[in-house]
Amino acid sequence: MIHPILKLGDARLQSPAEPVKSVSPETDRLIDDMIATMYAAPGIGLAAPQMGVPLRTFVIDLSMGRDPAALITMINPEWVEREGMQLEEEGCLSLPGFTATVPRPARAVVRGWDRRGETRTIEGTELLARALQHEMDHLDGRLFVDRLRGIKRDLILRKARKLARAGKW
Ligand code: NI
């Protein structure tokens, strides 16, 4: 089932998510819904808090559904390694229409469960390292604007509030 994606301004996007206690039919359904919602958006990643579900789970698919092997599901991910720095333009389904240049690690490794509850380690560079950090941030209640400073951040927040007031957010 495709869910609405929460947008900047919703408090549920800014609260740290809780660990998943065990893999169950409910987590399986949640992950199916997250994948469907990510593909429908369309996007390359989605975290459970973006659907209003406060659990530490995200999905990433840089192929946007073209390559079944590219789909990553992570439950209770933890950092294993992060190194280096990259600066690229980035967006988020919770801030439609906005992008910014965000500093992210050049290489990142996370470890968590896959949807069957088996431990998986994912290593990413370039766009995948960026996506891993972006989705991990969602699990900690952080959006990419929270990684910006000064004028750029204020400008995005102000424009989003204006759209919200106009009922266009
Ligand atoms: Ni996002």
Side-chain angles (χ1 to χ4, degrees), residues 34-74:
M34 288 170 64
I35 293 166
T37 302
M38 170 176 71
Y39 287 157
I44 60 168
L46 189 79
Q50 292 180 279
M51 296 196 329
V53 178
L55 291 174
R56 301 188 75 82
T57 303
F58 66 72
V59 293
I60 290 174
D61 184 352
L62 300 185
S63 85
M64 295 173 98
R66 283 188 293 270
D67 174 11
L71 177 62
I72 294 167
T73 299
M74 269 279 146

Side-chain angles (χ1 to χ4, degrees), residues 27-126:
T27 45
D28 224 35
R29 205 169 314 129
L30 169 67
I31 289 161
D32 279 342
D33 287 359
M34 288 170 64
I35 293 166
T37 302
M38 170 176 71
Y39 287 157
I44 60 168
L46 189 79
Q50 292 180 279
M51 296 196 329
V53 178
L55 291 174
R56 301 188 75 82
T57 303
F58 66 72
V59 293
I60 290 174
D61 184 352
L62 300 185
S63 85
M64 295 173 98
R66 283 188 293 270
D67 174 11
L71 177 62
I72 294 167
T73 299
M74 269 279 146
I75 300 169
N76 298 339
E78 308 268 3
W79 288 115
V80 179
E81 281 180 60
R82 270 179 289 181
E83 61 177 7
M85 206 267 273
Q86 55 168 313
L87 272 174
E88 295 291 339
E89 196 84 352
E90 176 171 327
C92 178
L93 295 174
S94 293
L95 283 95
F98 295 101
T99 59
T101 302
V102 187
R104 296 294 193 187
R107 178 176 165 270
V109 184
V110 299
R111 183 176 299 143
W113 301 339
D114 66 13
R115 59 187 302 167
R116 291 177 306 179
E118 281 164 21
T119 302
R120 285 271 181 278
T121 303
I122 301 287
E123 177 181 345
T125 59
E126 298 176 24

